[in-house]
Amino acid sequence: KAGVTQTPRYLIKTRGQQVTLSCSPISGHRSVSWYQQTPGQGLQFLFEYFSETQRNKGNFPGRFSGRQFSNSRSEMNVSTLELGDSALYLCASTMDLQGRVTEAFFGQGTRLTVV
Amino acid sequence: AQSVAQPEDQVNVAEGNPLTVKCTYSVSGNPYLFWYVQYPNRGLQFLLKYITGDNLVKGSYGFEAEFNKSQTSFHLKKPSALVSDSALYFCAVRDMGGGSYIPTFGRGTSLIVHP
């Protein structure tokens, strides 16, 4: 069974540009979450999508957005990039079975560097 | 609200010795608790979870964790550490009674196992 796939693995962008990151969850998983990981802040929750709808949202500015497609694949977009957006962006998928608590499966992440 | 604390940024242990990585949590209801491990330039990998039942939970790679409700702790343990256990460890909590499906992660503890 294939794991969570994130593309690209590495990205270098210039301040003010925008970027789109992609995540393909494990087959059958309908919930996809995005996290930002930085050395100083640890793992910060961005948003979660379930069945193409944003179900939860963290405390990030509106420059950060996402979406989920009918095949559960998800993308996140960051517009008007700032130096502080440099981070490892992690995607996680869960099976999200009603009545069952399931663990998250993480992709390897996309390392974004803003220069 | 839910929160989790990992009081140690770094834990050092000699190979062959027992290891403990500490985690305390705060939830309004009952907790779901998780441990994940992250190797350099990789995503997080699930180690174990506590949902209900036996307070001692066994997980992958010989790790186990003990749920202590009175001390609101969920410490990760291993009887004999390996150099290959060196990695970043994250504890996560989700409030069983909360409406959110999103766990809160600790800031991580770097485990260094010396040969």
Side-chain angles (χ1 to χ4, degrees):
Chain A
K1 200 175 196 182
V4 178
T5 303
Q6 290 188 247
T7 56
R9 287 292 312 278
Y10 302 93
L11 210 48
I12 299 175
K13 289 288 189 179
T14 305
R15 269 183 307 174
Q17 287 186 313
Q18 75 165 20
V19 67
T20 299
L21 312 181
S22 180
C23 172
S24 293
I26 291 173
S27 177
H29 287 197
R30 295 190 296 166
S31 168
V32 175
S33 298
W34 288 89
Y35 293 84
Q36 181 195 66
Q37 184 180 14
T38 58
Q41 297 296 320
L43 221 63
Q44 301 288 311
F45 170 71
L46 282 154
F47 28 66
E48 183 228 2
Y49 286 86
F50 180 81
S51 292
E52 301 179 65
T53 301
Q54 187 180 87
R55 188 163 66 172
N56 290 283
K57 189 177 188 304
N59 295 322
F60 277 80
R63 300 185 296 108
F64 292 81
S65 63
R67 59 178 175 168
Q68 186 179 34
F69 302 95
S70 58
N71 61 358
S72 292
R73 190 177 71 85
S74 178
E75 289 181 346
M76 68 163 281
N77 185 278
V78 188
S79 62
T80 320
L81 284 166
E82 301 176 0
L83 295 178
D85 296 333
S86 296
L88 181 67
Y89 289 87
L90 292 167
C91 167
S93 76
T94 56
M95 194 178 295
D96 200 87
L97 296 174
Q98 192 171 8
R100 276 191 59 189
V101 178
T102 55
E103 61 274 16
F105 292 82
F106 284 80
Q108 294 191 79
T110 294
R111 172 74 62 184
L112 172 64
T113 303
V114 182
V115 297
Chain B
Q2 58 191 33
S3 66
V4 62
Q6 294 181 240
E8 302 154 317
D9 289 337
Q10 184 171 302
V11 169
N12 291 276
V13 64
E15 187 174 32
N17 283 1
L19 69 87
T20 299
V21 182
K22 296 180 180 177
C23 171
T24 58
Y25 66 89
S26 175
V27 293
S28 55
N30 290 315
Y32 296 137
L33 293 155
F34 306 83
W35 274 103
Y36 291 84
V37 60
Q38 185 180 33
Y39 297 99
N41 297 315
R42 304 295 296 271
L44 278 65
Q45 296 178 33
F46 169 74
L47 279 177
L48 50 80
K49 66 185 175 186
Y50 171 82
I51 305 301
T52 187
D54 195 351
N55 289 343
L56 185 64
V57 179
K58 294 189 182 296
S60 306
Y61 313 119
F63 284 94
E64 58 189 27
E66 186 167 13
F67 171 64
N68 188 317
K69 188 171 184 177
S70 63
Q71 298 186 5
T72 61
S73 67
F74 189 57
H75 300 333
L76 181 70
K77 300 182 179 185
K78 187 174 182 181
S80 179
L82 300 172
V83 172
S84 58
D85 292 331
S86 299
L88 191 57
Y89 290 80
F90 290 92
C91 180
V93 67
R94 211 191 96 187
D95 191 336
M96 193 184 294
S100 171
Y101 295 87
I102 305 304
T104 297
F105 285 82
R107 295 172 68 89
T109 298
S110 178
L111 173 66
I112 300 174
V113 181
H114 302 277

